[in-house]
Amino acid sequence: METCKQRVGGAASKRCGKIRISGLALFLPTACLLAIFLSQKSGNEPNKTPAAAAAFDNALGLVLTQQKGESPTDRGISQLQQRIREGRNVELWLDRLGWAFVAKARESFDPGFYKLAEQCARSIELRNPQSQEAMLLRAHVLQNLHRFKESETLARCLVQQRGLSFDYGLLGDALMEQGKLNDAVEAYQRMMNLKPDLRAYARAAHMRWLKGDLEGAIEAMQLAVSAASPQDAESAAWVNTRLATYLFYAGKFNEAEQRCALALSLQNNYPPTLLLQGRILLRQSRFGEAVDALQNAVKLNPLPEYQWTLAEALRAAGKENEASEVEAQLCQRGASSDPRTLALYLATRHESPETALRLARAELESRSDVFTHDALAWSLAAAGKLTEAHTEMQRALVEGTQDARLFFHAGIIASQAGQPADAECWLRKASELSHLLLPSERNELLNAVAGGAGKKASATSNPPKTFSLGPNTARKTQPKT
């Protein structure tokens, strides 16, 4: 196995292509932590003078509020708070407290801790307006609150001022979420060159998957797993879950289950792992077990993606009333917690197409990756705007991401738009990856295939178009025929 020169984009992309991985405490989207703000407000922004800084204690008072809990992270937070109260090296301990709150947010899936981390950055800035540590902490918080453009601005400042490995990783994350994959790869390459570690390996893996290189993604994530430390159980659980996800995509179900078990041994009842475990059980038609896993996941992390999957499992298990209750909660809160997934859900269920379209358009203003373009395309199709839907779908497919939902949507949109050859190709590709779809999506895919979508095409019909990945290369996005 190469450890110095391994490709991020695989053979698909020469320009995007080579991140040398010789190694993300993973701040990918993977997302799932969203912008939920504490109800407490710190008031008007003070003038950043020494006098104002001394008088302004709202931010400091907030971060020094005693936290409940007995985990190692909770105990660490309490110890850092005490050091700050002692009044020595306050900036240093505020910075460490901010990152402790970040760790708590990742551990607990409570985004309110990101706002506490932001208050730590604010407290540092009141004492030192030019603090690079405060800038990094604030930029990381903005990234996790899906304020990607603001995060990019701060990350660029950090790269220009000092250019540490973590600075380039943060910049790459912000660029990736905005769909600027070529620029993101360049940032990640600089990160890898400076410090090949778990963070860099996992970012390389995610980029390879986005570029359609699943085998390369598995290889890179295996390196991330090997670089994980049991002392950081949450990060170790995360990379094992991501590796299990890629193995599941590749149809290696036994290996995926083994990785899930390992992740749960590192971090008991870890929601991302429980979500994936539920999806694997759904694929195996073990509906009761899937419901159990997914109910635990939703209890700990009630985001729309989790709720949608649970509702599908409940319905498959014959629990229609419970499924409807979960879906009602999804619709009630999804617009604030994850508008993109709610838009996808509404468009898939053929409900409130205007709402789905509004949510997807708004999401695209801050997040323009392939999955947001897909959500907009699917919402446009649900609203009957097929020409626009087709255009957006091309943007979703341009990077070559091998994703069943993307192919499924592309096939249905092509069929509705009167492009049977394209529809047949995309639906065939979706069928090859149908284990990744939710039960209702698989049923709709089967109905579309059984209904002959695309089969009226002549043998000379044009295949889907070729899309450029950059000035030096191109990727054919059509599935093999």
Side-chain angles (χ1 to χ4, degrees), residues 38-51:
L38 293 179
S39 58
Q40 296 169 284
K41 296 182 180 180
S42 59
N44 296 328
E45 186 74 25
N47 295 323
K48 292 183 178 179
T49 64

Side-chain angles (χ1 to χ4, degrees), residues 79-150:
Q79 292 169 1
L80 290 166
Q81 289 174 326
Q82 182 57 38
R83 289 182 180 272
I84 293 168
R85 292 188 187 98
E86 292 169 358
R88 291 174 294 186
N89 297 320
V90 172
E91 286 185 37
L92 170 65
W93 302 123
L94 276 170
D95 178 60
R96 293 189 180 179
L97 179 60
W99 289 106
F101 282 134
V102 168
K104 183 64 177 178
R106 291 175 53 81
E107 177 185 293
S108 66
F109 293 86
D110 181 352
F113 286 103
Y114 283 120
K115 289 303 293 177
L116 288 173
E118 186 176 35
Q119 296 303 313
C120 289
R122 178 172 301 198
S123 289
I124 296 171
E125 290 165 345
L126 288 169
R127 293 158 175 79
N128 179 7
Q130 305 304 317
S131 170
Q132 294 173 338
E133 288 73 18
M135 191 184 302
L136 176 64
L137 181 58
R138 183 184 290 278
H140 182 74
V141 168
L142 291 171
Q143 175 75 15
N144 281 278
L145 298 180
H146 289 197
R147 293 159 63 182
F148 303 117
K149 294 179 182 178
E150 296 171 76

Side-chain angles (χ1 to χ4, degrees), residues 44 54 70 87 92 166 174 281 327 385 396:
N44 296 328
E70 297 297 331
L92 170 65
F166 199 92
L281 291 166
E327 289 172 334
K385 301 178 183 293

Side-chain angles (χ1 to χ4, degrees), residues 399-421:
E399 299 294 349
T401 308
Q402 302 293 297
D403 182 82
R405 183 173 280 168
L406 293 183
F407 296 148
F408 167 54
H409 291 171
I412 297 297
I413 290 171
S415 178
Q416 293 176 344
Q419 299 174 347

